[in-house]
């Protein structure tokens, strides 16, 4: 499978409308790359440029060793010659055709023999678990089944790269879970390079091998789900990734002054799961007022007030506190995310050498 290289690409629709700005991105062969960000951040525009449905304003886009869009040299390869498969947010199935005919439609256009069409279509339907629906029509299928047909229609063409534009957004919660598992299995079974667009961080974290986080047309960070969650490059990434969201504390606040030992830090991020309940009287703990306890099914979220600062704590152990109680909490300095005045991540090594707490890490008891 080919790599995809986006070198300093930009897309501008007018004097003031910069949809994507000076983006560098490398998608490895066999990768499951997720373009993640809020609405209007440019992720779908990037997907459409890879597909050839949008022209670059500047920069260079290559698939493998072949430049497919290079405006400076006047080169543009049309979408049908790029060897890509694109699945839109809407399934766009032919309502008057059976599942089997929908899937082999592209093979018919490419003049494949009937024997080859049957072999390819049968193989893909088996892998996606829709062989029993071959003679049905789209109106006779559930949303999840229709989604599988749309995916099968692309996979039967054996594309070099599969592009998915929020393909799960029209499904209900249970079907989305089912189709996430299907996409994961599909990626492993076909070893296809996938570029997936979503605004749903949960989808990105559970599906992708690498995530590119976008904001306002600019790339914020690229990395594995674990890297992006554990070491967000800036405050935007820290706040966008995580549920419940990361706690943010101004370094100049009373609590911030107690926690921070980095002179350049202007804000401090603390993941809710990195705040732990501790035994009463343990050294190095913070005293908190419990504002509320919210069960979420399998975990609990506590709203706390520490030194006038509202914080959220999440735990998978049933807390032995109620609203109105006083609790003791521990925050390990190594779990602080420090950001400068421009929101960029700071190296916390300096802070770790001069920590406000010298007690060992304390789990909830």
């Amino acid at each position: 499978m080919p790599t995809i290289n986006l070198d300093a690409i930009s897309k501008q629709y007018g004097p003031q409308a910069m949809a994507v700005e000076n983006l560098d991105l490398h998608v490895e062969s066999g990768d499951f790359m997720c373009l993640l960000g809020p609405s209007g951040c440019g992720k779908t525009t990037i997907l459409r440029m890879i597909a050839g449905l949008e022209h670059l304003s500047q920069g260079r886009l290559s698939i493998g060793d072949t430049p497919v869009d290079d405006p400076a040299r006047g080169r543009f390869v049309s979408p049908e010659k790029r060897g890509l498969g694109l699945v839109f947010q809407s399934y766009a199935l032919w309502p008057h055709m059976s599942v089997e005919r929908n899937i082999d439609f592209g093979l018919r256009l490419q003049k494949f023999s009937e024997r080859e069409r049957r072999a390819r279509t049968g193989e893909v339907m088996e892998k996606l678990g829709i062989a029993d629906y071959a003679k049905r029509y789209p109106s006779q299928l559930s949303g999840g089944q229709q989604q599988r047909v749309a995916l099968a229609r692309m996979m039967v063409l054996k594309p070099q790269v599969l592009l998915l534009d929020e393909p799960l957004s029209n499904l209900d919660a249970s079907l989305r879970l089912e189709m996430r598992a299907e996409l994961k299995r599909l990626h492993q079974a076909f070893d296809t390079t996938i570029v997936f667009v979503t605004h749903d961080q949960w989808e990105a974290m559970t599906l992708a091998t690498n995530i590119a986080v976008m904001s306002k047309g600019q790339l914020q960070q690229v990395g594995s789900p674990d890297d992006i969650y554990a070491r967000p490059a800036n405050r935007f990434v820290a706040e966008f990734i995580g549920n419940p969201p990361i706690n943010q504390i101004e370094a100049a606040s009373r609590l911030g002054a107690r926690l921070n030992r980095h002179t350049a830090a202007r804000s401090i991020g603390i993941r809710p799961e990195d705040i732990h309940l501790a035994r009463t009287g343990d050294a190095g703990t913070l005293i908190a007022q419990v504002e509320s306890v919210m069960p979420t099914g399998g975990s609990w979220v506590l709203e706390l007030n520490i030194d006038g600062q509202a914080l959220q704590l999440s735990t998978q152990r049933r807390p032995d506190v109620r609203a109105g109680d006083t609790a003791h909490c521990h925050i390990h300095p190594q779990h602080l995310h420090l950001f400068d005045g421009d929101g960029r991540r700071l190296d916390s090594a300096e802070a770790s050498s001069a920590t406000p707490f010298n007690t060992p890490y304390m789990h909830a008891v």
Side-chain angles (χ1 to χ4, degrees):
M1 296 298 169
T3 59
I4 304 173
N5 293 297
L6 288 70
D7 300 313
I9 71 166
S10 295
K11 179 62 181 179
Q12 189 167 0
Y13 290 103
Q16 306 297 325
M18 183 67 78
V20 178
E21 184 176 4
N22 196 34
L23 178 98
D24 289 306
L25 186 64
H26 179 75
V27 183
E28 290 283 358
S29 173
D31 201 1
F32 196 132
M33 172 67 75
C34 180
L35 304 178
L36 174 67
S39 297
C41 70
K43 54 188 185 294
T44 295
T45 301
I46 295 170
L47 196 78
R48 290 175 63 85
M49 287 192 286
I50 295 173
L53 302 179
E54 298 279 358
H55 291 252
L56 272 64
S57 298
Q58 58 185 2
R60 173 175 166 150
L61 196 157
S62 303
I63 298 177
D65 297 326
T66 305
V68 295
D69 197 346
D70 190 347
R73 292 173 174 78
R75 178 168 178 78
F76 180 80
V77 176
S78 59
E80 69 275 10
K81 295 180 180 179
R82 296 191 182 189
L84 309 177
L86 176 60
V87 177
F88 293 100
Q89 184 173 345
S90 60
Y91 312 134
L93 301 177
W94 296 106
H96 63 289
M97 292 184 183
S98 67
V99 165
E100 187 175 29
R101 287 298 300 272
N102 264 283
I103 294 172
D104 77 356
F105 182 75
L107 298 176
R108 289 175 179 272
L109 290 179
Q110 294 186 18
K111 308 299 183 182
F112 278 81
S113 68
E114 181 178 357
R115 180 179 179 181
E116 180 70 9
R117 291 201 313 268
R118 286 182 177 276
R120 283 203 190 189
T121 302
E123 179 185 5
V124 171
M125 287 194 298
E126 285 291 340
K127 285 187 176 181
L128 289 176
I130 52 176
D132 292 341
Y133 312 132
K135 303 304 179 184
R136 294 189 187 182
Y137 291 88
S139 61
Q140 298 172 310
L141 304 177
S142 69
Q145 291 163 350
Q146 290 183 45
Q147 181 64 78
R148 295 182 198 182
V149 175
L151 287 169
R153 184 173 56 188
M154 287 295 102
M155 296 310 302
V156 78
L157 297 172
K158 298 184 178 179
Q160 300 178 73
V161 178
L162 185 60
L163 309 177
L164 305 176
D165 187 9
E166 301 203 50
L168 310 184
S169 59
N170 292 329
L171 305 181
D172 60 35
S174 61
L175 281 175
R176 291 185 80 164
L177 285 173
E178 178 186 337
M179 285 308 301
R180 283 174 193 159
E182 284 290 346
L183 285 176
K184 196 85 170 179
R185 189 176 64 82
L186 178 72
H187 180 239
Q188 295 168 349
F190 288 90
D191 193 29
T192 303
T193 303
I194 296 177
V195 182
F196 182 96
V197 165
T198 184
H199 62 272
D200 187 324
Q201 57 161 303
W202 187 260
E203 281 183 4
M205 296 292 284
T206 55
L207 286 174
T209 54
N210 281 295
I211 299 174
V213 184
M214 298 289 300
S215 176
K216 298 179 180 178
Q218 296 183 334
L219 182 65
Q220 303 298 308
Q221 186 174 359
V222 181
S224 70
D226 287 341
D227 289 340
I228 285 179
Y229 189 80
R231 291 186 56 81
N234 55 45
R235 184 166 172 167
F236 171 82
V237 176
E239 292 176 341
F240 191 76
I241 302 290
N243 186 27
I246 194 170
N247 297 293
Q248 287 288 355
I249 303 169
E250 296 305 314
S253 67
R254 182 178 173 184
L255 178 57
R258 295 180 65 183
L259 296 174
N260 182 39
R261 290 297 183 269
H262 199 306
T263 56
R266 293 295 176 267
S267 63
I268 304 167
I270 308 170
R271 295 286 184 194
E273 66 272 18
D274 289 331
I275 305 175
H276 297 269
L277 296 175
R279 288 187 295 259
T280 302
D282 281 333
T285 58
L286 299 165
I287 298 176
Q289 185 73 24
V290 180
E291 302 291 346
S292 66
V293 177
M294 297 175 287
T296 61
S299 64
W300 289 260
V301 176
L302 279 64
E303 290 189 337
L304 307 175
N305 186 303
I306 304 176
D307 286 345
Q309 176 76 47
L311 300 174
Q312 287 190 326
L313 175 159
S314 69
T315 177
Q316 292 186 330
R317 299 183 63 179
R318 185 184 299 274
D320 191 22
V321 293
R322 294 181 296 180
D325 288 352
T326 297
H328 290 253
C329 301
H330 184 78
I331 302 172
H332 198 292
Q334 290 182 345
H335 292 154
L336 300 179
H337 301 271
L338 307 177
F339 305 100
D340 65 15
D342 294 322
R344 292 173 300 201
R345 183 181 185 84
L346 293 168
D347 184 1
S348 59
E350 177 185 335
S352 298
S353 64
T355 60
F357 305 122
N358 297 314
T359 56
Y361 184 48
M362 179 65 68
H363 287 277
V365 294

